Amino acid sequence: MVSRENRVLIGSLLLVWLAVTVIGLTGIGAESSVVTFLVLAGLGIVVPQLYLAATDDDVPGRQRVRIAAVLSLVIAMLGFSGADPGERLLIAGLVAALLIALVAYEFTAGFRRSAAES
């Protein structure tokens, strides 16, 4: 029996495959590193992890949000160093927004925890 988490992750891989196929057939965004980053990091990592963070109780949501942000950073660092400077700046901005969202998420979770304790 395949677990729910595995079904979500396999579904996201199918979405990535479908997006790559559509990009290959239509040519829309084929030359853009930003589109490639959004497909790989967005559909492949961020969307399923955030979905599981909101709906799964087995793994804490904070851990899933951390995984999404850190893996997006790793993909950006490893795969897009050869992109145009403007595209690198846009990808860096997207990763920075993810990391800022992670810090804000951690801050609010810590605030809520300390407010509940007092």
Side-chain angles (χ1 to χ4, degrees):
M1 182 82 175
V2 179
S3 70
R4 181 174 172 272
E5 179 178 3
N6 287 340
R7 286 192 310 260
V8 169
L9 295 175
I10 290 170
S12 72
L13 289 177
L14 288 174
L15 281 175
V16 168
W17 174 80
L18 182 64
V20 168
T21 302
V22 168
I23 288 171
L25 292 176
T26 62
I28 298 173
E31 298 296 321
S32 175
S33 296
V34 175
V35 172
T36 306
F37 175 75
L38 288 175
V39 167
L40 290 178
L43 287 178
I45 295 172
V46 174
V47 169
Q49 290 300 324
L50 293 181
Y51 172 75
L52 288 170
T55 61
D56 190 17
D57 293 332
D58 293 339
V59 178
R62 293 175 64 186
Q63 186 174 349
R64 293 206 184 270
V65 171
R66 287 183 202 137
I67 289 170
V70 170
L71 287 179
S72 297
L73 175 66
V74 169
I75 286 176
M77 288 185 343
L78 293 178
F80 299 99
S81 60
D84 293 335
E87 289 182 332
R88 275 199 319 252
L89 185 62
L90 186 56
I91 291 170
L94 291 170
V95 171
L98 280 171
L99 294 176
I100 289 170
L102 174 63
V103 169
Y105 184 81
E106 292 288 339
F107 177 76
T108 54
F111 179 75
R112 286 181 184 154
R113 192 174 336 115
S114 68
E117 290 174 358
S118 57

